[in-house]
């Protein structure tokens, strides 16, 4: 932009001295303003389209985690109200918590047993998992959230196998007894689907052509705009171009940060807080059930 201002300033001096070709050059440059407006419109469309795609991924990830919290707590409430076997209910609550932390680790490309992961040992220290259970989770070739879901289903099967139907709050003579498993299964299916939704959001990044087109449009537009604007605003061109390009780069960088919402940036999903919320709320539901105050 500085070179453009120097060049058009030199042309303006020549035009003032009566040099005809310099006058024609200035006229032609100023007549390009409408063309620059068209290019600018296309560039803004490209920039806004890219940012909207990035924001959509970020927003969808937040919605998925909101649904995960809701379904985990819904399952925890059903567990304490409908599972009559205390030991099995405690086990199911523990695996609900594991499901949340395992989902967080998976979405960050890690696992509960990774050397740089503190959640796995933390779950053992807090008594949510035993060392043998953590080893079983880490040794399994499947994704760890699905392992937790499999354990939740196994607990439900055990509860239904208790002799006389005493593992469920409603005995076998009650017509609701046969519907309890279906209610549990509906919530668990939703939890399973949310893992897949989050994985899809994480793995399906923006096409490389999006970034290439945006960067190319950035240089083309500001390169041509600086040349055309300098014919009208002179040495204000570097100021205007620097300000506009700075704001544009901020939008590009912000969009790039939103593309992967499961990282450690400030704009990313606070999965640590979400997991801690699920754990605290599950414990609160368990404690409320044990106290028997709200039966």
């Amino acid at each position: 932009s500085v070179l453009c201002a120097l060049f058009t300033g030199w042309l303006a001096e020549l035009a003032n001295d009566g040099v005809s070709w310099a006058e024609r050059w200035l006229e032609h440059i100023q007549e390009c303003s409408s063309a620059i407006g068209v290019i600018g419109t296309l560039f803004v469309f490209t920039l806004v389209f890219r940012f909207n795609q990035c924001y959509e991924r970020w927003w969808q990830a937040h919605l998925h985690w909101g649904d995960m919290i809701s379904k985990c707590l819904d399952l925890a409430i059903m567990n304490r109200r409908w599972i009559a076997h205390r030991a099995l209910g405690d086990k199911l609550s523990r695996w609900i918590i594991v499901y949340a932390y395992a989902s967080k680790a998976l979405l960050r490309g890690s696992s509960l047993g990774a050397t740089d992961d503190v959640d796995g040992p933390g779950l053992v220290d807090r008594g949510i998992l035993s060392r043998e259970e953590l080893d079983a989770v880490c040794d399994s070739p499947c994704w760890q959230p699905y392992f937790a879901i499999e354990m939740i289903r196994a607990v439900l099967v055990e509860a239904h196998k208790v002799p006389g139907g005493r593992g469920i709050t409603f005995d076998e003579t009650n017509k609701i007894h046969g519907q309890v498993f279906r209610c549990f299964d509906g919530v668990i299916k939703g939890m399973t689907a949310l893992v897949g939704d989050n994985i899809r959001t994480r793995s399906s990044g923006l096409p490389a052509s999006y970034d290439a087109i945006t960067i190319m449009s950035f240089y083309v537009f500001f390169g041509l705009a600086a040349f055309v604007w300098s014919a009208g605003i002179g040495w204000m061109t570097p100021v205007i171009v620097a300000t506009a390009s700075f704001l544009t780069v901020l939008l590009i960088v912000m969009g790039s940060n939103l593309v992967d919402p499961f990282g450690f940036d400030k704009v990313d999903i606070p999965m640590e807080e979400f997991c801690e919320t699920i754990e605290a709320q599950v414990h609160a539901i368990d404690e409320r059930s044990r106290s028997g105050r709200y039966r």
Side-chain angles (χ1 to χ4, degrees), residues 82 84 164-178 180:
W82 294 349
R166 291 190 297 273
I168 306 298
T169 302
F170 309 101
D171 58 38
E172 292 179 337
T173 61
N174 194 311
K175 62 180 181 180
I176 301 178
H177 181 90
V180 171

Side-chain angles (χ1 to χ4, degrees), residues 150-162:
E150 184 180 354
M151 293 299 101
I152 291 173
R153 289 188 181 277
V155 171
L156 292 176
V157 172
E158 289 184 50
H160 279 78
K161 286 183 176 180
V162 174

Side-chain angles (χ1 to χ4, degrees), residues 123-137:
L123 292 173
V124 174
D125 293 340
R126 297 194 298 276
I128 297 172
L129 281 178
S130 65
R131 173 55 61 181
E132 292 74 17
E133 288 173 331
L134 178 60
D135 292 339
V137 172

Side-chain angles (χ1 to χ4, degrees), residues 231-242:
I233 60 177
W235 284 104
M236 282 299 295
T237 303
V239 178
I240 299 299
V241 170

Side-chain angles (χ1 to χ4, degrees), residues 66-83:
D67 288 342
M68 286 177 63
I69 295 174
S70 176
K71 291 187 181 301
C72 285
L73 300 187
D74 192 15
L75 183 61
I77 293 172
M78 289 193 296
N79 169 39
R80 288 309 179 181
R81 289 299 176 182
W82 294 349
I83 300 296

Side-chain angles (χ1 to χ4, degrees), residues 20-32 231:
S20 59
W21 65 267
E23 294 179 357
R24 290 195 301 271
W25 267 72
L26 284 175
E27 291 176 0
H28 294 330
I29 293 173
Q30 291 173 349
E31 289 173 355
C32 292

